[in-house]
Amino acid sequence: MDFGEDAELRALRETVAAISKPFGGAYYTERSEARKPTSEIWAALAEAGFIGVNLPEEYGGGGGGIVELAAVTEESAAAGCPLLLLLVSSAISGEVIARFGSADQKQRWLPGLSSGAHKIVFAITEPDAGSNTHRISTRAVRDGDDWLLTGQKYYISGFDDAAAVLVVARTGTDEASGRARLSLFVVPTDTPGLTAHPLPVAAQIPERQFTLFFDSARVASDALVGDEGDGFRQVFHGLNPERITGAALCVGIARYALGKAVDYARNRQVWDQPIGTYQGISHPLAKAKIETDLAALMTHKAAWTHDHGLPAGEPSNIAKYAAAEAALAAVDQAIQTHGGNGMSVEYGLVPLWGLARTLRIAPVNREMILNYVAQHSLGLPRSY
């Protein structure tokens, strides 16, 4: 692969950075405290055509791939405005519908995703399933030409800001293995029988979390994405882009935090010299810089691999792991560099710490990534 970026990708990065910079960390901090969506920067990037940069041109998208979407995700985060819903709406829902959706589904949903006019969030997590997708209990059963969905999902990001939710549901059981047969459904958020309750979380981020309840929620037959029972394959087509863009988000967070820390270390003087003079400050920041650059390289490799149709599971998982670790370390060191000011609302670092810490757990936690690498990369016995 070519690690260089062509002029078009560099121009994309520069333009996204220029659009995002006027919003910056102060805007993100204010929205985080208020738990309000970052609608203005989303609209500004959408107007420039960047929210759907990875979606097909015939539906208003940019015709690019995950390389381009990762660049948008990273640069907006590096300007101080990490957009979590890019991982969900553009990376997962957009990719799945573009790949597996019917012609009618593509026509109904992709233009709005491309323009940023609406979002489609993703619902797979359940209280009793965790990382074990085969234990999903939300069911979809046929009722004439319709489907009835019954069950519960939780930790669903941005449901209050979405037009629809892409739901993973059980539609049967595989007789040979006993595992669930899964299917995907695009469910409008105003569907009767679907209710949402806010899920309080301590992390101070703009995107609110919700528990969803499906009480025989009725959807038409055209809500089914692709073939019945093909949901497991469809989900994993979306999960690699989610992990790659999640890694890009983390790289952007790390870059922003490092920039703030370095600026403070250059200008904050104690005993008549900048605190960046001292190795106790400079070495941890240098280490964070190295870890961030390594994570960025792995993220680029994962995106390139996915876009070229190559097996992307390993690089996507490694990129997510490396970038989440780098982001959390960078933000933590930025807080430490600022001393007491690191906890001040004025400097806007604590909301980034909350998001970075969350991304170490989700959308896949570091322990499951280690399990994956141990089993699939090293050939060790499965441990779970």
Side-chain angles (χ1 to χ4, degrees), residues 54-56 59 88-114 118-122 164-167 184-187 222-226 234-235 237-238:
N54 59 310
L55 299 179
Y59 298 103
V88 180
S89 189
S90 298
I92 297 183
S93 300
E95 288 284 312
V96 168
I97 293 172
R99 173 72 177 272
F100 300 105
S102 66
D104 288 344
Q105 286 171 338
K106 292 176 183 178
Q107 190 58 55
R108 179 179 180 183
W109 297 112
L110 290 183
L113 287 177
S114 298
H118 61 232
K119 304 178 182 73
I120 300 178
V121 297
F122 183 59
V165 54
L166 185 63
V167 180
L184 269 62
F185 298 85
V186 184
V187 181
D222 61 5
L224 175 67
V225 178
Q234 296 169 356
V235 164
H237 179 77

Side-chain angles (χ1 to χ4, degrees), residues 96-378:
V96 168
I97 293 172
R99 173 72 177 272
F100 300 105
S102 66
D104 288 344
Q105 286 171 338
K106 292 176 183 178
Q107 190 58 55
R108 179 179 180 183
W109 297 112
L110 290 183
L113 287 177
S114 298
S115 69
H118 61 232
K119 304 178 182 73
I120 300 178
V121 297
F122 183 59
I124 186 171
T125 307
E126 296 184 3
D128 297 323
S131 298
N132 188 353
T133 306
H134 295 290
R135 292 189 62 181
I136 282 177
S137 60
T138 298
R139 293 182 177 273
V141 297
R142 291 188 180 275
D143 185 54
D145 292 333
D146 297 338
W147 290 89
L148 297 178
L149 275 68
T150 302
Q152 180 180 350
K153 301 289 184 180
Y154 80 155
Y155 285 105
I156 309 306
S157 301
F159 180 85
D160 58 330
D161 196 30
V165 54
L166 185 63
V167 180
V168 184
R170 177 190 288 261
T171 51
T173 303
D174 184 271
E175 294 180 1
S177 66
R179 292 181 171 182
R181 288 189 182 276
L182 303 177
S183 300
L184 269 62
F185 298 85
V186 184
V187 181
T189 53
D190 61 357
T191 297
L194 168 57
T195 56
H197 293 256
L199 180 62
V201 296
Q204 195 178 77
I205 58 178
E207 295 82 9
R208 300 173 70 195
Q209 304 296 311
F210 291 85
T211 300
L212 306 185
F213 298 93
F214 298 87
D215 184 12
S216 295
R218 182 179 296 274
V219 294
S221 59
D222 61 5
L224 175 67
V225 178
D227 296 328
E228 179 184 346
D230 195 33
F232 199 78
R233 182 172 70 96
Q234 296 169 356
V235 164
F236 275 89
H237 179 77
L239 291 186
N240 284 335
E242 181 192 35
R243 289 168 189 180
I244 295 166
T245 49
L249 192 78
C250 288
V251 170
I253 290 170
R255 285 174 51 197
Y256 178 80
L258 276 172
K260 300 288 285 186
V262 168
D263 183 65
Y264 192 83
R266 285 196 188 110
N267 293 289
R268 171 68 169 167
Q269 291 201 0
V270 178
W271 295 296
D272 300 324
Q273 55 188 335
I275 61 173
T277 302
Y278 303 110
Q279 292 178 348
I281 296 292
S282 65
H283 281 190
L285 293 177
K287 179 174 179 288
K289 162 67 174 173
I290 290 168
E291 292 169 350
T292 299
D293 283 1
L294 289 172
L297 280 173
M298 197 66 209
T299 301
H300 182 64
K301 177 181 179 180
W304 183 93
T305 301
H306 174 85
D307 286 351
H308 282 76
L310 301 173
E314 180 185 87
S316 299
N317 277 289
I318 292 175
K320 166 62 173 58
Y321 179 97
E325 297 293 309
L328 187 59
V331 177
D332 189 67
Q333 190 54 45
I335 292 172
Q336 193 70 20
T337 299
H338 282 74
N341 284 334
M343 305 305 293
S344 169
V345 172
E346 176 186 353
Y347 290 87
L349 293 171
V350 172
L352 294 179
W353 186 92
L355 180 55
R357 189 63 185 84
T358 300
L359 289 168
R360 200 170 181 235
I361 302 168
V364 59
N365 66 55
R366 65 192 298 276
E367 288 73 23
M368 287 305 297
I369 293 177
L370 293 173
N371 284 335
Y372 179 95
V373 172
Q375 179 185 349
H376 295 281
S377 303
L378 300 180

